[in-house]
Structures are given as structure tokens and as C-alpha cells.
Amino acid sequence: MPGDALSQDPAELRRRIDTTKAHPARVYDVLLGGKDNYPVDREAAAAALAVNPRGYLDVRHNRDFLRRAVTTLAQEAGIRQFLDIGTGLPTQENVHQIAQRITPDSRVVYVDNDPVVLAHARALLTSGPEGQTDYIDADIKQPAQILAEAAKTLDFDQPIALVLVAILHFIEDEEAYPIVRELVDALPSGSRLVLSHLTEDINAEKVRAVQRTFTERGFTFVLRSKAGVERFFTENGLELDEPGAVPVHHWCPDGAAPAPEAVDPTYFATLDDIEKVRHRDINDATDADINIYGATGIKR
């Protein structure tokens, strides 16, 4: 049960954390400027930045795509329920904060299987009094378990936004497409899929170099074409929303990407590349920087 996940013994959680191997959620946290990671994760992030120095823009713009997508669905499409799989570590703008700011009675269920994420999951459950949030300790490869536990919080007779942001490129085709099919099949009419995915369509040399750094560390890392990304929608009977599957910085831009606070240049110069990430502005991104598609679609 979701509640049971949060009652796990802290000592047991610590035993589950493998600090000898980089984990995607923690590497993502590094590139967002977070601190909930380990030296092995920072080393993986540093290796990725060494081959693509502006690679942090993919991660940061991916996160800003999530902000805009949730805002659009809550504000314009009337979505009141969100199932966010592959949540990652808590950040400033989590799905429930975005949605409940617009519609206070929104319900959000988060799903992740990294014990570090679980250790911080209570930060994801600070729902407003009218809404509800929950956390499921599960792997995306267990869709039946996820759906059964999510149904304790979400009403599957009402539209739900399924959020699969920057997670499917860690899963091979033979598993990824059936998983999404099973999840979408359980959603009622009017539901939405929010998806982002790394690709080699755009800046192939850069993203393939990053792919190599991660596969060398044991990650599954699948780069899909635009057609491969669209397949998650089309083969499940979903109709892509405008503007379709596009580089994330072009998906309904609103000019509100967060800008960092000013930092003393002398201090900034003393930081290493990883520490500098949190202070960098993402508003100068160009098409040559972004290697990730974003899209949403509706189930009729």
C-alpha cells in the first residue's frame, strides 16, 4: 500500500541504497542542481557534461516542460488527477504544487522505486487541505501493481493525466510499449498522457556521446526517433495535442522558465562544473542544445 511505503524502517531504506552505482533519478537531481545524490552520481553527471557541456539544458528544460504541461492540463483541460511515474527526487515545482495552485482539490499519486526518492517522499505529500497526494514505492515495470495502488487515491472513472517524463528512454522497446499500453488502457476517456523522451534526431553527436557515458555505467539508454515517441500515443489510440511531439523548449513556451538568482562572478569562477549548474540560466537555450521531445495527448 502507498502508506506502507512511507513506514519503512530507515535502516532498511539505507540498506536498499546502492551508493556504488549511479542511479538515473539521482543523476537527474545532480543536473537540476540538487543535493540528494552521491559521489558516483556526480561522477556520472560530470562525465555527461564533459561530452556535452550544455547537457544540463535538456534536464532543466524537461522539468520546465513538465511545469507547462501540468499547468495547461489543470488550467485549460480541467484535469484534476495526475499519476506521475518515475517521479524522481522532490524539487521546487512538483506536480501537486503546480496542479493544486490552480485547482486546490487536485489528486496526485507519485511512483518511484529508488529508495533515496522514498526517503524524501514525505516532501511530495504536503498536499493542501482540499487535495490529496500519495506515493507508491514501485517500478514502472509493474503496471498492474501501480494501477491497483493508485486506485486507492485516484478515481479511474474520471480523467487522469499519466505523466511519463524522461523515464521511457531507460526501458527497451519490448517492455516500454506494452507497459504504456497497459497503463493507458486503464485510463478513462478524457485522460491525457504527458511524455518526454531523449532522441538522437536533433543533435545526434552530442546525445550519443552522453548515451555512451551512461551505458558504460550500466544504464539502459534508448534514444527514440520522433516516430518512436509518437508511437506511444498513436498505437494506444491517443490523439496528440498541439503542437505535437516537439523539442521540449518549443512545447507551448510561456516565457516563464525560472531564472537563477544573481551570483558573484568571482565566487562562480571557484565552482566546479557540477556546482555551476544550479546557478546557470536556461533561458539562453538554442535548438542546438535540446535533445528531448515533449508531447501530450488525449484519450477519446
Side-chain angles (χ1 to χ4, degrees), residues 31 45-59 198 203-211 213 273 277 288-291:
L31 294 173
L49 288 177
V51 296
N52 184 14
R54 286 170 67 81
Y56 63 90
L57 288 165
D58 271 332
V59 173
L198 281 164
N203 302 296
E205 185 177 345
K206 289 180 182 178
V207 77
R208 285 175 188 155
V210 172
Q211 181 187 41
T213 70
D273 289 343
V277 164
D289 294 317
I290 304 300
N291 309 280

Side-chain angles (χ1 to χ4, degrees), residues 102-296:
I102 297 164
T103 309
D105 63 351
S106 294
R107 297 181 182 188
V108 178
V109 172
Y110 294 105
V111 183
D112 209 298
N113 71 328
D114 179 13
V116 174
V117 178
L118 176 55
H120 294 273
R122 285 181 178 81
L124 294 169
L125 302 178
T126 54
S127 174
E130 298 172 59
Q132 191 172 352
T133 60
D134 220 330
Y135 180 91
I136 299 171
D137 179 21
D139 194 303
I140 189 174
K141 295 181 181 180
Q142 303 166 314
Q145 177 193 347
I146 290 170
L147 292 167
E149 296 192 2
K152 297 169 185 175
T153 301
L154 305 179
D155 179 358
F156 277 76
D157 291 326
Q158 298 297 321
I160 295 169
L162 171 63
V163 180
L164 300 175
V165 166
I167 184 173
L168 292 171
H169 43 243
F170 297 114
I171 307 174
E172 299 285 1
D173 283 358
E174 60 269 21
E175 289 185 289
Y177 290 103
I179 286 168
V180 175
R181 185 180 308 117
E182 185 170 347
L183 291 167
V184 170
D185 281 351
L187 302 179
S189 176
S191 292
R192 288 306 220 285
L193 172 60
V194 178
L195 186 149
S196 66
H197 200 295
L198 281 164
T199 183
E200 60 183 349
D201 285 356
I202 310 170
N203 302 296
E205 185 177 345
K206 289 180 182 178
V207 77
R208 285 175 188 155
V210 172
Q211 181 187 41
R212 284 193 297 273
T213 70
F214 287 137
T215 54
E216 287 167 0
R217 288 162 176 78
F219 291 8
T220 298
F221 209 84
V222 182
L223 301 171
R224 293 188 173 94
S225 66
K226 183 174 183 177
V229 171
E230 291 173 338
R231 182 181 161 195
F232 287 112
F233 295 85
T234 56
E235 77 169 20
N236 292 309
L238 297 167
E239 179 184 318
L240 278 161
D241 298 319
E242 290 293 335
V246 296
V248 285
H249 64 311
H250 289 313
W251 194 92
C252 303
D254 61 4
E261 293 182 13
V263 61
D264 179 72
T266 304
Y267 167 71
F268 184 79
T270 68
L271 303 177
D272 64 25
D273 289 343
I274 291 297
E275 293 171 323
K276 286 177 179 176
V277 164
R278 76 177 69 247
H279 302 292
R280 293 194 184 278
D281 192 355
I282 69 170
N283 291 285
D284 64 347
T286 69
D287 290 349
D289 294 317
I290 304 300
N291 309 280
I292 187 164
Y293 285 124
T296 68

